[in-house]
């Protein structure tokens, strides 16, 4: 009821306000009084026409106002009705308030009770706040005290730690004294106590610099223990070094023992340098003599199993086989060609043999085995490489040296042995004429140098260079001597002429293929240049030898046989794209083409000449000049038809007799038959020209396809 009344009151108040507004503005006649603009103050904020219009418009839009205006109600009467309604509602509202007065009084009492309770809670919380404030100050005080105690504790712990460590380090236990004095140096306990003693010696030195008084309490006993330890260690190391001097001793065993106790030398070096120097000098002197004696004996025994037959200054490519048959002349090699042939000698550069076991001379002597020089050279230098690598690593590890210091120490030990090697090698090289042996030795050294580099052993670098400086000039000299020997060869002194491959060209082919195949791994420009020069001299020699034959046909057979032989030997070992192979391929192809023309000339020369003449005239447009040669054409057609099979058979047999390489002979026959078919095809084309088209003899021409089938039957089977 109260809510409905409130809505009615709001609506009626709005209507009353509207009626009052209109009532004030009405005139006595009932019309709205006109608004005089002159009576308005347009400059004030209170009366602004826009606001008045908006206010009037808003009231006019009210539903009650619209209803009153539409029904024509008297506004004064309606206003009084509204006022009486408001008074009635007001009286009803007062009665409601009086009716609820007890509840309101009860609510007031409850609010007052709550206020008193909250007041007591406030007093209680204030007490708690004051108590917490006092507790916080006490906690802060305790915290400061704790921090202070923690700092004092840390300081005391630090002092205790340093003092206890210093006392422990200064203290020389009885176990150390007993072990150093009584135990053998090889016992593990002695080694451990030696480490502890070394630490105490270093500590005593450090404390003496700081002028620590406690150091004087232990200095005497530490010095005595050091002297005793140095004495026992020095005696042990010298005893091991002296064991190297015993015959048939495997020196790696005492070296491994010394490496196991490498700390002994470190102790000597740190505490008694004089004794350490004596130990080092004794080791250098003993090992230097041992290596020198071993390698001198081993090298001497190796030379006893070398081949007895060695090349000398007369064993050159250009020397004829009959040159050394004088009564007082030195016996020649059983086969001079073995000097220029690689054969199985090149296998020594393969990894299995290059790094294989070294030769045992007395075993080889019992088996009556003999070896070429490069095999002995490989065995000797592989033993040197293996021993030097071990020795260098031992020196760096045991004597704790690196860089130039390690190289100097190594040279003090191995220098005498390396000098002996160079001296003996220099004597051998000065009288060596076996070019392949020298070249193999060069490549053995190159490969051993690569192995040493891979192992990170620089100790032999200078030795490798010295050996190569001996071998390279000698190899170049041997090559130059062979070049001169071929250049100065007189073909007339080489015996009976023969179209088969000459032994000098075979020597060159074997030697050149050997050097080229070996040189592929480590190419050398100087070697390539000398080989090119040697090839030029051999080509000139072959031409000089060919010139001794009376006929061009024999010259071509000799040239083809020699070129083919040299090419075959080279291709077995050298790469297909090498300069030597390419050069002889071109020479062989040119001479083969020339020989094919020479081979076809006797049986088919007339036809070939006619075809060439006719083709030349055809190009000039003068083929009519041959119209009067009908008799010649008939003779050529009939002659070919009757004799070509016999001629082809004769050519095949001739080629079989002339060429030693059946494969090469087969190629020549095939080339000749192919060239013959091409010429006969050209003969067909010439006779099909208008000038010869009407000749009756054209019917006697052999069908080209039939000729090709018949020719294949005559293909030799080598």
């Amino acid at each position: 009821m109260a809510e409905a009344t409130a809505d009615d009151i709001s609506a009626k108040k709005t209507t009353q306000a509207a009626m009052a507004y209109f009532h004030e503005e009405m005139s006595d006649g009932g019309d709205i009084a006109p608004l005089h603009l002159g009576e308005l103050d347009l400059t004030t904020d209170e009366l602004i026409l826009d606001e008045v219009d908006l206010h009037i418009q808003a009231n006019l839009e009210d539903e009650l106002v619209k209803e009153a205006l539409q029904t024509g109600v008297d506004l004064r009467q309606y206003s009084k009705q509204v006022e009486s309604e408001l008074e009635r509602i007001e009286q009803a509202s007062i009665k409601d308030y009086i009716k609820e007065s007890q509840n309101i009084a009860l609510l007031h009492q409850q609010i007052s009770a709550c206020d008193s309770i909250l007041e007591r809670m406030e007093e209680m919380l204030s007490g708690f706040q004051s108590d917490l404030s006092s507790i916080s100050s006490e906690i802060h005080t305790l915290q400061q005290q704790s921090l202070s105690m923690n700092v004092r504790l840390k300081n005391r712990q630090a002092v205790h730690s340093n003092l206890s460590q210093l006392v422990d380090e200064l203290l020389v236990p009885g176990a150390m004294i007993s072990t150093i004095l009584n135990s053998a140096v090889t016992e593990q306990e002695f080694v451990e106590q030696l480490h502890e003693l070394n630490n105490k010696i270093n500590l005593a030195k450090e404390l003496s610099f700081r002028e620590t008084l406690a150091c004087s309490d232990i200095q005497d006993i530490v010095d005595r223990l050091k002297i005793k330890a140095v004495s026992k260690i020095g005696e042990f190391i010298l005893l091991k070094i002296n064991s190297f001097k015993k015959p048939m001793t495997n020196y790696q065993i005492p070296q491994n023992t010394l490496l196991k106790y490498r700390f002994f030398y470190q102790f000597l070096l740190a505490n008694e340098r004089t004794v350490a120097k004596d130990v080092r000098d004794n080791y250098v002197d003993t090992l230097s003599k041992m290596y020198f004696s071993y390698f001198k004996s081993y090298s001497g025994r190796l030379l006893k199993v070398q081949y007895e037959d060695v090349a000398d200054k007369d064993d050159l490519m250009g020397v004829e086989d009959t040159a050394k048959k004088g009564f007082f002349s030195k016996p020649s090699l059983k086969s001079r060609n073995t000097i220029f042939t690689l054969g199985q000698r090149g296998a020594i550069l393969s990894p299995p043999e290059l790094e294989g076991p070294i030769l045992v001379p007395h075993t080889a002597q019992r088996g009556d085995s003999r070896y070429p020089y490069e095999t002995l050279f490989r065995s000797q230098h592989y033993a040197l490489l293996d021993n030097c690598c071990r020795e260098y690593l031992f020196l760096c590890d045991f004597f704790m040296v690196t860089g130039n210091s390690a190289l100097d120490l190594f040279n003090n030990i191995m220098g005498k042995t390396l000098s002996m090697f160079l001296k003996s090698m220099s004597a051998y090289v000065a009288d060596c004429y076996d070019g392949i042996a020298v070249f193999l030795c060069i490549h053995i050294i190159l490969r051993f140098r690569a192995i040493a580099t891979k192992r990170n052993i620089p100790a032999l670098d200078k030795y490798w260079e010295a050996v190569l400086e001996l071998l390279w000039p000698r190899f170049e000299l041997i090559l130059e001597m062979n070049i001169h020997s071929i250049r100065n060869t007189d073909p007339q002194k080489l015996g009976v002429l023969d179209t088969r491959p000459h032994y000098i060209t075979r020597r060159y082919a074997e030697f050149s293929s050997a050097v080229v195949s070996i040189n592929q791994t480590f190419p050398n420009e100087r070697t390539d240049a000398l080989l090119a020069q040697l090839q030029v001299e051999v080509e000139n020699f072959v031409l000089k030898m060919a010139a001794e034959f009376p006929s061009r046909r024999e010259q071509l057979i000799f040239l083809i046989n020699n070129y083919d032989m040299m090419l075959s030997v080279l291709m077995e070992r050298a790469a297909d794209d090498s300069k030597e192979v390419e050069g002889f391929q071109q020479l062989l192809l040119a001479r083969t083409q020339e020989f094919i023309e020479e081979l076809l000339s006797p049986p088919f020369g007339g036809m070939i000449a006619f075809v060439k003449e006719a083709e030349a005239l055809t190009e000039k447009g003068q083929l009519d000049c041959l119209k009067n040669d009908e008799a010649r054409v008939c003779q050529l057609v009939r002659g070919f038809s009757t004799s070509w099979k016999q001629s082809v058979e004769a050519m095949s047999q001739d080629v079989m007799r002339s060429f030693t390489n059946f494969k090469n002979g087969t190629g020549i026959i095939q080339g000749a038959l192919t060239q013959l078919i091409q010429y006969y095809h050209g003969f067909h084309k010439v006779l099909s020209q208008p000038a010869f088209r009407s000749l009756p003899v054209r019917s006697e021409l052999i069908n080209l396809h039939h000729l090709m089938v018949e020719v294949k039957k005559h293909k030799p089977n080598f």
Side-chain angles (χ1 to χ4, degrees), residues 332-352:
S332 63
L333 293 176
K334 294 179 180 179
S335 177
R336 181 177 286 111
N337 289 333
T338 58
I339 304 173
F340 309 104
T341 303
L342 183 62
Q344 297 300 318
R345 298 169 72 182
I348 199 171
L349 298 178
S350 62

PDB file of all heavy atoms in Angstrom, residues 332-352:
ATOM      1  N   SER A 332     128.049 -58.707 -66.091  1.00  0.00           N
ATOM      2  CA  SER A 332     126.843 -57.882 -66.062  1.00  0.00           C
ATOM      3  C   SER A 332     125.778 -58.558 -65.209  1.00  0.00           C
ATOM      4  O   SER A 332     125.901 -59.713 -64.799  1.00  0.00           O
ATOM      5  CB  SER A 332     126.302 -57.681 -67.483  1.00  0.00           C
ATOM      6  OG  SER A 332     125.938 -58.925 -68.021  1.00  0.00           O
ATOM      7  N   LEU A 333     124.732 -57.813 -64.968  1.00  0.00           N
ATOM      8  CA  LEU A 333     123.596 -58.354 -64.239  1.00  0.00           C
ATOM      9  C   LEU A 333     122.973 -59.510 -65.020  1.00  0.00           C
ATOM     10  O   LEU A 333     123.032 -59.559 -66.250  1.00  0.00           O
ATOM     11  CB  LEU A 333     122.543 -57.268 -64.022  1.00  0.00           C
ATOM     12  CG  LEU A 333     122.951 -56.118 -63.101  1.00  0.00           C
ATOM     13  CD1 LEU A 333     121.840 -55.093 -63.092  1.00  0.00           C
ATOM     14  CD2 LEU A 333     123.232 -56.598 -61.700  1.00  0.00           C
ATOM     15  N   LYS A 334     122.361 -60.426 -64.279  1.00  0.00           N
ATOM     16  CA  LYS A 334     121.686 -61.530 -64.954  1.00  0.00           C
ATOM     17  C   LYS A 334     120.615 -61.004 -65.904  1.00  0.00           C
ATOM     18  O   LYS A 334     120.394 -61.535 -66.962  1.00  0.00           O
ATOM     19  CB  LYS A 334     121.068 -62.461 -63.915  1.00  0.00           C
ATOM     20  CG  LYS A 334     122.111 -63.177 -63.056  1.00  0.00           C
ATOM     21  CD  LYS A 334     121.443 -64.075 -62.028  1.00  0.00           C
ATOM     22  CE  LYS A 334     122.479 -64.780 -61.165  1.00  0.00           C
ATOM     23  NZ  LYS A 334     121.845 -65.640 -60.138  1.00  0.00           N
ATOM     24  N   SER A 335     119.947 -59.920 -65.505  1.00  0.00           N
ATOM     25  CA  SER A 335     118.931 -59.305 -66.356  1.00  0.00           C
ATOM     26  C   SER A 335     118.919 -57.820 -66.079  1.00  0.00           C
ATOM     27  O   SER A 335     118.441 -57.386 -65.039  1.00  0.00           O
ATOM     28  CB  SER A 335     117.546 -59.911 -66.086  1.00  0.00           C
ATOM     29  OG  SER A 335     116.583 -59.256 -66.880  1.00  0.00           O
ATOM     30  N   ARG A 336     119.506 -57.072 -67.024  1.00  0.00           N
ATOM     31  CA  ARG A 336     119.578 -55.628 -66.807  1.00  0.00           C
ATOM     32  C   ARG A 336     118.179 -55.012 -66.760  1.00  0.00           C
ATOM     33  O   ARG A 336     117.957 -53.978 -66.141  1.00  0.00           O
ATOM     34  CB  ARG A 336     120.420 -54.987 -67.918  1.00  0.00           C
ATOM     35  CG  ARG A 336     120.563 -53.479 -67.758  1.00  0.00           C
ATOM     36  CD  ARG A 336     121.466 -52.858 -68.816  1.00  0.00           C
ATOM     37  NE  ARG A 336     122.858 -53.149 -68.595  1.00  0.00           N
ATOM     38  CZ  ARG A 336     123.603 -53.951 -69.383  1.00  0.00           C
ATOM     39  NH1 ARG A 336     123.048 -54.537 -70.419  1.00  0.00           N
ATOM     40  NH2 ARG A 336     124.875 -54.177 -69.137  1.00  0.00           N
ATOM     41  N   ASN A 337     117.225 -55.665 -67.394  1.00  0.00           N
ATOM     42  CA  ASN A 337     115.879 -55.098 -67.423  1.00  0.00           C
ATOM     43  C   ASN A 337     115.246 -55.010 -66.036  1.00  0.00           C
ATOM     44  O   ASN A 337     114.327 -54.230 -65.816  1.00  0.00           O
ATOM     45  CB  ASN A 337     114.976 -55.942 -68.340  1.00  0.00           C
ATOM     46  CG  ASN A 337     115.334 -55.764 -69.807  1.00  0.00           C
ATOM     47  OD1 ASN A 337     115.863 -54.726 -70.188  1.00  0.00           O
ATOM     48  ND2 ASN A 337     115.070 -56.783 -70.605  1.00  0.00           N
ATOM     49  N   THR A 338     115.703 -55.832 -65.074  1.00  0.00           N
ATOM     50  CA  THR A 338     115.121 -55.764 -63.734  1.00  0.00           C
ATOM     51  C   THR A 338     115.407 -54.435 -63.056  1.00  0.00           C
ATOM     52  O   THR A 338     114.705 -54.052 -62.121  1.00  0.00           O
ATOM     53  CB  THR A 338     115.673 -56.908 -62.863  1.00  0.00           C
ATOM     54  OG1 THR A 338     117.107 -56.803 -62.811  1.00  0.00           O
ATOM     55  CG2 THR A 338     115.279 -58.257 -63.438  1.00  0.00           C
ATOM     56  N   ILE A 339     116.439 -53.723 -63.510  1.00  0.00           N
ATOM     57  CA  ILE A 339     116.745 -52.411 -62.931  1.00  0.00           C
ATOM     58  C   ILE A 339     115.627 -51.422 -63.254  1.00  0.00           C
ATOM     59  O   ILE A 339     115.338 -50.522 -62.467  1.00  0.00           O
ATOM     60  CB  ILE A 339     118.089 -51.875 -63.486  1.00  0.00           C
ATOM     61  CG1 ILE A 339     119.197 -52.893 -63.232  1.00  0.00           C
ATOM     62  CG2 ILE A 339     118.437 -50.523 -62.884  1.00  0.00           C
ATOM     63  CD1 ILE A 339     120.500 -52.523 -63.901  1.00  0.00           C
ATOM     64  N   PHE A 340     114.998 -51.602 -64.390  1.00  0.00           N
ATOM     65  CA  PHE A 340     113.995 -50.638 -64.847  1.00  0.00           C
ATOM     66  C   PHE A 340     112.564 -51.128 -64.617  1.00  0.00           C
ATOM     67  O   PHE A 340     111.613 -50.418 -64.937  1.00  0.00           O
ATOM     68  CB  PHE A 340     114.201 -50.368 -66.340  1.00  0.00           C
ATOM     69  CG  PHE A 340     115.617 -50.017 -66.696  1.00  0.00           C
ATOM     70  CD1 PHE A 340     116.441 -50.943 -67.305  1.00  0.00           C
ATOM     71  CD2 PHE A 340     116.130 -48.768 -66.389  1.00  0.00           C
ATOM     72  CE1 PHE A 340     117.758 -50.628 -67.626  1.00  0.00           C
ATOM     73  CE2 PHE A 340     117.444 -48.450 -66.701  1.00  0.00           C
ATOM     74  CZ  PHE A 340     118.262 -49.377 -67.317  1.00  0.00           C
ATOM     75  N   THR A 341     112.409 -52.323 -64.069  1.00  0.00           N
ATOM     76  CA  THR A 341     111.074 -52.894 -63.875  1.00  0.00           C
ATOM     77  C   THR A 341     110.683 -52.796 -62.406  1.00  0.00           C
ATOM     78  O   THR A 341     111.482 -53.152 -61.522  1.00  0.00           O
ATOM     79  CB  THR A 341     111.055 -54.365 -64.324  1.00  0.00           C
ATOM     80  OG1 THR A 341     111.477 -54.433 -65.684  1.00  0.00           O
ATOM     81  CG2 THR A 341     109.649 -54.936 -64.199  1.00  0.00           C
ATOM     82  N   LEU A 342     109.458 -52.342 -62.155  1.00  0.00           N
ATOM     83  CA  LEU A 342     108.982 -52.229 -60.767  1.00  0.00           C
ATOM     84  C   LEU A 342     108.558 -53.594 -60.227  1.00  0.00           C
ATOM     85  O   LEU A 342     108.941 -53.969 -59.110  1.00  0.00           O
ATOM     86  CB  LEU A 342     107.807 -51.250 -60.695  1.00  0.00           C
ATOM     87  CG  LEU A 342     107.246 -50.973 -59.305  1.00  0.00           C
ATOM     88  CD1 LEU A 342     108.294 -50.333 -58.419  1.00  0.00           C
ATOM     89  CD2 LEU A 342     106.015 -50.064 -59.398  1.00  0.00           C
ATOM     90  N   GLY A 343     107.770 -54.339 -60.994  1.00  0.00           N
ATOM     91  CA  GLY A 343     107.350 -55.659 -60.555  1.00  0.00           C
ATOM     92  C   GLY A 343     106.654 -55.617 -59.203  1.00  0.00           C
ATOM     93  O   GLY A 343     105.754 -54.816 -58.964  1.00  0.00           O
ATOM     94  N   GLN A 344     107.125 -56.484 -58.297  1.00  0.00           N
ATOM     95  CA  GLN A 344     106.562 -56.537 -56.945  1.00  0.00           C
ATOM     96  C   GLN A 344     107.269 -55.601 -55.978  1.00  0.00           C
ATOM     97  O   GLN A 344     106.927 -55.561 -54.798  1.00  0.00           O
ATOM     98  CB  GLN A 344     106.652 -57.975 -56.419  1.00  0.00           C
ATOM     99  CG  GLN A 344     105.849 -58.974 -57.221  1.00  0.00           C
ATOM    100  CD  GLN A 344     104.366 -58.624 -57.230  1.00  0.00           C
ATOM    101  OE1 GLN A 344     103.795 -58.230 -56.208  1.00  0.00           O
ATOM    102  NE2 GLN A 344     103.732 -58.739 -58.393  1.00  0.00           N
ATOM    103  N   ARG A 345     108.245 -54.869 -56.479  1.00  0.00           N
ATOM    104  CA  ARG A 345     108.988 -53.974 -55.578  1.00  0.00           C
ATOM    105  C   ARG A 345     108.100 -52.849 -55.049  1.00  0.00           C
ATOM    106  O   ARG A 345     108.301 -52.349 -53.945  1.00  0.00           O
ATOM    107  CB  ARG A 345     110.200 -53.382 -56.314  1.00  0.00           C
ATOM    108  CG  ARG A 345     111.203 -54.425 -56.765  1.00  0.00           C
ATOM    109  CD  ARG A 345     112.242 -53.842 -57.712  1.00  0.00           C
ATOM    110  NE  ARG A 345     113.172 -52.968 -57.029  1.00  0.00           N
ATOM    111  CZ  ARG A 345     114.160 -52.304 -57.639  1.00  0.00           C
ATOM    112  NH1 ARG A 345     114.309 -52.403 -58.955  1.00  0.00           N
ATOM    113  NH2 ARG A 345     114.965 -51.529 -56.943  1.00  0.00           N
ATOM    114  N   GLY A 346     107.112 -52.449 -55.841  1.00  0.00           N
ATOM    115  CA  GLY A 346     106.234 -51.352 -55.416  1.00  0.00           C
ATOM    116  C   GLY A 346     105.337 -51.715 -54.252  1.00  0.00           C
ATOM    117  O   GLY A 346     104.786 -50.829 -53.584  1.00  0.00           O
ATOM    118  N   ALA A 347     105.183 -53.022 -53.982  1.00  0.00           N
ATOM    119  CA  ALA A 347     104.310 -53.435 -52.870  1.00  0.00           C
ATOM    120  C   ALA A 347     104.832 -52.956 -51.529  1.00  0.00           C
ATOM    121  O   ALA A 347     104.087 -52.911 -50.540  1.00  0.00           O
ATOM    122  CB  ALA A 347     104.164 -54.959 -52.860  1.00  0.00           C
ATOM    123  N   ILE A 348     106.110 -52.591 -51.489  1.00  0.00           N
ATOM    124  CA  ILE A 348     106.689 -52.154 -50.208  1.00  0.00           C
ATOM    125  C   ILE A 348     106.067 -50.855 -49.717  1.00  0.00           C
ATOM    126  O   ILE A 348     106.136 -50.526 -48.525  1.00  0.00           O
ATOM    127  CB  ILE A 348     108.222 -51.997 -50.363  1.00  0.00           C
ATOM    128  CG1 ILE A 348     108.892 -52.003 -48.981  1.00  0.00           C
ATOM    129  CG2 ILE A 348     108.569 -50.719 -51.118  1.00  0.00           C
ATOM    130  CD1 ILE A 348     110.380 -52.081 -49.053  1.00  0.00           C
ATOM    131  N   LEU A 349     105.423 -50.103 -50.622  1.00  0.00           N
ATOM    132  CA  LEU A 349     104.784 -48.840 -50.233  1.00  0.00           C
ATOM    133  C   LEU A 349     103.363 -49.037 -49.724  1.00  0.00           C
ATOM    134  O   LEU A 349     102.752 -48.087 -49.217  1.00  0.00           O
ATOM    135  CB  LEU A 349     104.764 -47.867 -51.415  1.00  0.00           C
ATOM    136  CG  LEU A 349     106.134 -47.436 -51.945  1.00  0.00           C
ATOM    137  CD1 LEU A 349     105.965 -46.507 -53.140  1.00  0.00           C
ATOM    138  CD2 LEU A 349     106.954 -46.755 -50.865  1.00  0.00           C
ATOM    139  N   SER A 350     102.819 -50.237 -49.856  1.00  0.00           N
ATOM    140  CA  SER A 350     101.466 -50.495 -49.346  1.00  0.00           C
ATOM    141  C   SER A 350     101.508 -50.546 -47.819  1.00  0.00           C
ATOM    142  O   SER A 350     102.509 -50.984 -47.235  1.00  0.00           O
ATOM    143  CB  SER A 350     100.936 -51.809 -49.901  1.00  0.00           C
ATOM    144  OG  SER A 350     101.746 -52.900 -49.484  1.00  0.00           O
ATOM    145  N   PRO A 351     100.449 -50.082 -47.138  1.00  0.00           N
ATOM    146  CA  PRO A 351     100.458 -50.034 -45.666  1.00  0.00           C
ATOM    147  C   PRO A 351     100.821 -51.349 -44.980  1.00  0.00           C
ATOM    148  O   PRO A 351     101.577 -51.338 -43.999  1.00  0.00           O
ATOM    149  CB  PRO A 351      99.025 -49.583 -45.330  1.00  0.00           C
ATOM    150  CG  PRO A 351      98.587 -48.812 -46.533  1.00  0.00           C
ATOM    151  CD  PRO A 351      99.229 -49.477 -47.704  1.00  0.00           C
ATOM    152  N   PRO A 352     100.329 -52.519 -45.457  1.00  0.00           N
ATOM    153  CA  PRO A 352     100.702 -53.756 -44.750  1.00  0.00           C
ATOM    154  C   PRO A 352     102.203 -54.010 -44.721  1.00  0.00           C
ATOM    155  O   PRO A 352     102.745 -54.463 -43.710  1.00  0.00           O
ATOM    156  CB  PRO A 352      99.955 -54.843 -45.532  1.00  0.00           C
ATOM    157  CG  PRO A 352      98.812 -54.139 -46.176  1.00  0.00           C
ATOM    158  CD  PRO A 352      99.339 -52.777 -46.519  1.00  0.00           C
TER     159      PRO A 352
END
